[in-house]
Amino acid sequence: RANVLKDNNPDNVLLVNIHAGGYATPRAGQPDLRTTEGNAINSVANPAGSYPAGSINRTKTPQWAENRGLWNASANTILSQSSPVNLYVKSFFDRTTRELTTEVEVYYTDSVSSNNKLTVMLTQDGILGPQSGGTQYYPENFIGDQYIHNHVLRDVITPGDAWGETITETNKGNYTYKKYVTSIPESIQNIPVIFYNLDVVAFISGSDNINI
Protein backbone atom coordinates (compact mmCIF):
# COMPACT_ATOMS: atom_id res chain seq x y z
CA ARG A 1 0.00 0.00 0.00
CA ALA A 2 2.87 2.36 0.72
CA ASN A 3 4.35 1.70 -2.71
CA VAL A 4 1.00 2.38 -4.39
CA LEU A 5 0.76 5.64 -2.46
CA LYS A 6 4.21 6.65 -3.68
CA ASP A 7 3.47 5.54 -7.26
CA ASN A 8 0.38 7.74 -7.26
CA ASN A 9 2.36 10.71 -5.90
CA PRO A 10 5.92 10.14 -7.15
CA ASP A 11 7.16 13.69 -6.50
CA ASN A 12 5.47 14.21 -3.16
CA VAL A 13 5.78 11.00 -1.16
CA LEU A 14 8.97 9.60 0.37
CA LEU A 15 8.99 6.25 2.14
CA VAL A 16 11.05 5.21 5.14
CA ASN A 17 10.47 1.65 6.29
CA ILE A 18 11.37 1.15 9.94
CA HIS A 19 11.81 -2.40 11.22
CA ALA A 20 11.06 -2.44 14.94
CA GLY A 21 8.96 -4.25 17.48
CA GLY A 22 8.59 -7.97 18.12
CA TYR A 23 7.99 -8.98 14.51
CA ALA A 24 11.31 -7.39 13.49
CA THR A 25 13.34 -9.65 15.77
CA PRO A 26 15.26 -11.94 13.39
CA ARG A 27 15.40 -15.68 13.71
CA ALA A 28 18.64 -17.57 13.21
CA GLY A 29 20.16 -16.78 9.82
CA GLN A 30 17.76 -13.92 9.06
CA PRO A 31 18.94 -10.33 8.45
CA ASP A 32 18.58 -7.88 11.32
CA LEU A 33 17.02 -4.71 9.86
CA ARG A 34 16.54 -2.97 13.19
CA THR A 35 18.33 0.25 14.13
CA THR A 36 18.76 2.14 17.37
CA GLU A 37 17.03 5.16 15.85
CA GLY A 38 14.20 3.05 14.46
CA ASN A 39 13.59 1.50 17.86
CA ALA A 40 13.45 4.97 19.43
CA ILE A 41 10.94 6.19 16.84
CA ASN A 42 8.83 3.05 17.24
CA SER A 43 8.64 3.52 21.01
CA VAL A 44 7.12 6.99 20.53
CA ALA A 45 5.05 6.22 17.41
CA ASN A 46 2.88 3.91 19.51
CA PRO A 47 1.56 1.78 16.62
CA ALA A 48 -2.20 1.45 16.80
CA GLY A 49 -3.23 -2.14 17.35
CA SER A 50 -0.75 -4.07 15.26
CA TYR A 51 1.93 -4.06 12.60
CA PRO A 52 2.33 -3.11 9.84
CA ALA A 53 1.52 0.44 10.88
CA GLY A 54 2.64 3.73 9.38
CA SER A 55 2.60 7.43 10.06
CA ILE A 56 1.84 10.11 7.50
CA ASN A 57 4.04 13.01 8.62
CA ARG A 58 3.50 12.11 12.29
CA THR A 59 0.27 14.07 12.32
CA LYS A 60 -1.76 11.78 14.55
CA THR A 61 -1.27 11.84 18.32
CA PRO A 62 -0.80 10.04 20.60
CA GLN A 63 -0.49 7.33 17.95
CA TRP A 64 1.58 8.40 14.96
CA ALA A 65 1.45 4.99 13.35
CA GLU A 66 -1.98 4.01 12.14
CA ASN A 67 -3.47 1.02 10.37
CA ARG A 68 -2.59 0.73 6.67
CA GLY A 69 -6.23 1.14 5.70
CA LEU A 70 -6.05 4.77 6.84
CA TRP A 71 -2.84 5.80 5.06
CA ASN A 72 -4.40 6.96 1.81
CA ALA A 73 -6.94 9.27 3.44
CA SER A 74 -4.31 10.74 5.77
CA ALA A 75 -1.92 11.29 2.85
CA ASN A 76 -4.58 13.07 0.81
CA THR A 77 -5.17 15.45 3.72
CA ILE A 78 -1.47 16.25 4.04
CA LEU A 79 -0.92 16.61 0.30
CA SER A 80 -3.61 19.29 0.14
CA GLN A 81 -1.73 21.47 2.63
CA SER A 82 1.07 23.95 2.01
CA SER A 83 4.41 23.90 3.82
CA PRO A 84 6.11 26.91 5.45
CA VAL A 85 9.56 25.60 4.58
CA ASN A 86 11.38 24.37 1.48
CA LEU A 87 14.19 21.82 1.50
CA TYR A 88 16.87 21.17 -1.10
CA VAL A 89 19.05 18.09 -0.71
CA LYS A 90 22.09 16.96 -2.68
CA SER A 91 24.42 14.07 -1.89
CA PHE A 92 27.63 12.63 -3.32
CA PHE A 93 29.31 9.31 -2.56
CA ASP A 94 33.07 8.79 -2.92
CA ARG A 95 33.62 5.11 -3.68
CA THR A 96 37.29 5.26 -2.74
CA THR A 97 36.86 6.70 0.75
CA ARG A 98 33.25 5.53 1.23
CA GLU A 99 32.39 9.05 2.37
CA LEU A 100 28.90 10.37 1.77
CA THR A 101 28.66 14.15 1.55
CA THR A 102 25.17 15.55 1.97
CA GLU A 103 24.23 19.21 1.61
CA VAL A 104 20.87 20.52 2.80
CA GLU A 105 19.39 23.96 2.27
CA VAL A 106 16.45 25.08 4.40
CA TYR A 107 14.41 28.11 3.38
CA TYR A 108 11.32 29.43 5.15
CA THR A 109 8.53 30.83 2.98
CA ASP A 110 6.47 31.60 6.08
CA SER A 111 7.28 32.13 9.74
CA VAL A 112 7.12 29.33 12.30
CA SER A 113 6.61 30.27 15.95
CA SER A 114 9.14 27.85 17.46
CA ASN A 115 12.34 26.01 16.67
CA ASN A 116 12.22 23.12 14.22
CA LYS A 117 14.19 19.90 13.78
CA LEU A 118 16.04 18.82 10.62
CA THR A 119 16.39 15.07 10.19
CA VAL A 120 18.39 13.41 7.41
CA MET A 121 17.98 9.65 7.07
CA LEU A 122 19.75 7.04 5.00
CA THR A 123 17.60 4.28 3.50
CA GLN A 124 18.50 1.27 1.39
CA ASP A 125 16.66 -0.71 -1.27
CA GLY A 126 17.09 -4.29 -2.42
CA ILE A 127 17.74 -6.10 0.87
CA LEU A 128 16.61 -9.71 0.63
CA GLY A 129 14.97 -11.44 3.57
CA PRO A 130 11.81 -13.07 4.90
CA GLN A 131 8.43 -11.37 5.06
CA SER A 132 5.47 -12.90 6.86
CA GLY A 133 2.42 -12.86 4.58
CA GLY A 134 4.45 -11.49 1.69
CA THR A 135 3.62 -14.26 -0.76
CA GLN A 136 -0.07 -13.56 -0.21
CA TYR A 137 -0.10 -9.76 -0.22
CA TYR A 138 2.87 -8.86 -2.45
CA PRO A 139 4.01 -11.93 -4.42
CA GLU A 140 5.53 -9.85 -7.22
CA ASN A 141 8.08 -8.44 -4.74
CA PHE A 142 9.97 -11.73 -4.34
CA ILE A 143 13.16 -13.15 -5.80
CA GLY A 144 12.75 -16.89 -5.31
CA ASP A 145 11.63 -17.26 -1.72
CA GLN A 146 13.22 -13.98 -0.61
CA TYR A 147 11.24 -10.76 -0.18
CA ILE A 148 12.82 -7.53 -1.49
CA HIS A 149 12.91 -5.03 1.37
CA ASN A 150 13.10 -1.44 0.08
CA HIS A 151 13.31 2.00 1.73
CA VAL A 152 14.83 0.35 4.81
CA LEU A 153 16.09 2.79 7.43
CA ARG A 154 19.81 2.15 7.90
CA ASP A 155 21.02 5.27 9.70
CA VAL A 156 20.20 8.83 10.76
CA ILE A 157 23.08 11.06 9.72
CA THR A 158 22.04 14.30 11.43
CA PRO A 159 23.13 14.94 15.02
CA GLY A 160 20.48 14.24 17.62
CA ASP A 161 20.09 10.52 16.98
CA ALA A 162 16.55 9.68 15.82
CA TRP A 163 15.24 13.21 16.14
CA GLY A 164 17.61 15.37 14.12
CA GLU A 165 19.18 18.70 14.96
CA THR A 166 17.56 21.98 15.94
CA ILE A 167 16.93 24.74 13.42
CA THR A 168 16.55 28.05 15.25
CA GLU A 169 16.11 30.51 12.35
CA THR A 170 12.49 29.84 11.39
CA ASN A 171 11.11 33.24 10.38
CA LYS A 172 9.96 33.95 6.84
CA GLY A 173 12.98 34.46 4.59
CA ASN A 174 15.43 32.67 6.89
CA TYR A 175 17.96 30.39 5.18
CA THR A 176 20.05 27.63 6.77
CA TYR A 177 22.77 25.56 5.12
CA LYS A 178 24.00 22.23 6.52
CA LYS A 179 26.71 19.89 5.30
CA TYR A 180 27.21 16.37 6.60
CA VAL A 181 30.13 14.08 5.81
CA THR A 182 29.36 10.50 6.78
CA SER A 183 31.62 7.48 6.61
CA ILE A 184 29.55 4.63 5.20
CA PRO A 185 30.56 1.21 6.55
CA GLU A 186 30.81 -1.87 4.37
CA SER A 187 27.95 -3.38 6.35
CA ILE A 188 25.46 -2.61 9.11
CA GLN A 189 24.30 -5.50 11.27
CA ASN A 190 26.18 -7.80 8.86
CA ILE A 191 24.04 -6.57 5.95
CA PRO A 192 26.14 -5.10 3.11
CA VAL A 193 25.63 -1.38 2.49
CA ILE A 194 25.39 -1.09 -1.31
CA PHE A 195 25.91 2.56 -2.22
CA TYR A 196 23.85 2.53 -5.41
CA ASN A 197 20.85 1.25 -3.44
CA LEU A 198 20.99 4.13 -0.94
CA ASP A 199 18.68 7.13 -0.71
CA VAL A 200 19.00 10.27 1.39
CA VAL A 201 15.72 11.50 2.88
CA ALA A 202 15.48 14.87 4.63
CA PHE A 203 12.56 16.46 6.44
CA ILE A 204 11.66 19.19 8.91
CA SER A 205 9.61 18.47 12.02
CA GLY A 206 8.34 20.44 14.98
CA SER A 207 10.55 21.10 18.00
CA ASP A 208 8.71 18.34 19.86
CA ASN A 209 9.73 15.88 17.08
CA ILE A 210 6.10 15.62 15.92
CA ASN A 211 4.41 16.92 12.78
CA ILE A 212 6.74 16.65 9.81
Side-chain angles (χ1 to χ4, degrees):
R1 294 199 187 200
N3 284 341
V4 169
L5 184 60
K6 180 172 177 58
D7 290 343
N8 290 338
N9 304 275
D11 297 325
N12 293 307
V13 171
L14 298 173
L15 303 179
V16 177
N17 291 359
I18 294 174
H19 294 251
Y23 291 114
T25 304
R27 298 176 181 175
Q30 294 180 347
D32 189 349
L33 302 180
R34 298 171 298 177
T35 61
T36 300
E37 295 88 353
N39 289 337
I41 291 170
N42 180 68
S43 67
V44 178
N46 191 22
S50 64
Y51 298 92
S55 74
I56 310 298
N57 282 23
R58 303 178 182 171
T59 55
K60 301 295 179 65
T61 55
Q63 294 174 322
W64 296 352
E66 57 190 7
N67 183 278
R68 58 191 180 274
L70 303 175
W71 296 350
N72 195 62
S74 294
N76 287 335
T77 298
I78 297 298
L79 289 168
S80 68
Q81 300 172 355
S82 60
S83 171
V85 59
N86 291 340
L87 284 180
Y88 173 79
V89 186
K90 180 175 68 174
S91 59
F92 171 78
F93 183 73
D94 187 320
R95 298 190 217 186
T96 302
T97 63
R98 292 193 66 84
E99 280 190 345
L100 176 73
T101 301
T102 304
E103 296 177 282
V104 183
E105 294 179 276
V106 182
Y107 179 75
Y108 281 83
T109 57
D110 203 353
S111 295
V112 176
S113 60
S114 62
N115 294 341
N116 282 166
K117 295 284 188 71
L118 169 65
T119 302
V120 182
M121 293 178 164
L122 196 65
T123 67
Q124 183 173 341
D125 293 338
I127 300 175
L128 300 180
Q131 177 59 57
S132 178
T135 53
Q136 177 183 356
Y137 293 107
Y138 205 175
E140 62 271 31
N141 202 51
F142 277 78
I143 294 179
D145 62 351
Q146 296 288 292
Y147 184 85
I148 307 168
H149 291 278
N150 294 320
H151 319 293
V152 178
L153 176 64
R154 306 307 312 276
D155 195 13
V156 176
I157 65 178
T158 34
D161 297 321
W163 310 114
E165 67 171 311
T166 300
I167 301 295
T168 58
E169 302 296 328
T170 61
N171 289 326
K172 183 177 180 179
N174 281 143
Y175 170 86
T176 299
Y177 170 82
K178 295 289 184 177
K179 180 178 180 179
Y180 308 101
V181 179
T182 311
S183 180
I184 303 297
E186 296 282 349
S187 64
I188 298 175
Q189 298 279 62
N190 295 318
I191 301 169
V193 179
I194 310 300
F195 79 90
Y196 51 79
N197 283 340
L198 298 178
D199 280 310
V200 172
V201 179
F203 57 86
I204 293 286
S205 64
S207 59
D208 56 2
N209 306 323
I210 302 176
N211 191 18
I212 294 173

